[in-house]
Each structure stands twice: as C-alpha cells, then as structure tokens.
Amino acid sequence: MSEPTGKYSITMPRDIAEAAKARSGPSGLSAYVAAAVARQIERDNLNDLIAVAEAEHGPVTEEEIQSLRDQLAQARHEQTRGGSSAA
C-alpha cells in the first residue's frame, strides 16, 4: 500500500522545472520531485547527525577521511578480484 498523498503548489525556476519534467520519465514530474525532496531530507538528516557527532568528538581530519577512502578502495579492489586477498 502506498503512502497517502496531498496536492501542493510549488514555485521554481522554469528552466529547472522543464529539465525535471524532461527527466521524469513515465513516473511523472510529481514522483520525480518527491524523490528529489526525499533525498534532500535524507541529506539534511545526515548533516544533523554529522553536526552532533562533531560537537561530541570534534571534526573528522583529512587524514581520517583519506584512510577511510583508502580502505574503501581496497575493499572494492578485493571485491573486483573475487574477494581473494593475499594476507
């Protein structure tokens, strides 16, 4: 069962509306806009969590970020090779 919907009137720049309409495909402009708003809410919530974590633990350093990127790249590399690693 899908969520109940409501009808809303929004105002946006015409070029953005036309680009969204062109990309919306068979699901339509309303579904496209709803998905975009849902993603923005997720990002806002994530930013709130980051702010709380940084307030408690301090900001994440560039070194920590790079270390995590390296770990992710290594995991992707190992996954591409079929999960075998020479350890």
Side-chain angles (χ1 to χ4, degrees):
M1 181 181 264
S2 64
E3 294 288 324
T5 61
K7 188 168 183 158
Y8 303 92
S9 175
I10 62 168
T11 303
M12 70 174 78
R14 187 177 310 271
D15 60 334
I16 293 173
E18 291 302 320
K21 197 172 179 183
R23 290 184 170 267
S24 64
S27 63
L29 182 59
S30 291
Y32 190 85
V33 171
V37 171
R39 280 192 306 276
Q40 185 62 49
I41 291 169
E42 288 173 353
R43 292 180 73 131
D44 292 345
N45 289 339
L46 181 57
N47 285 334
D48 292 344
L49 289 172
I50 290 169
V52 168
E54 286 186 338
E56 186 173 333
H57 303 288
V60 179
T61 67
E62 287 299 320
E63 293 79 18
E64 291 169 319
I65 292 170
Q66 188 58 51
S67 174
L68 292 171
R69 284 184 177 146
D70 293 344
Q71 290 176 39
L72 180 59
Q74 180 64 31
R76 285 180 176 157
H77 178 71
E78 289 175 7
Q79 185 178 34
T80 302
R81 292 188 335 203
S84 63
S85 62

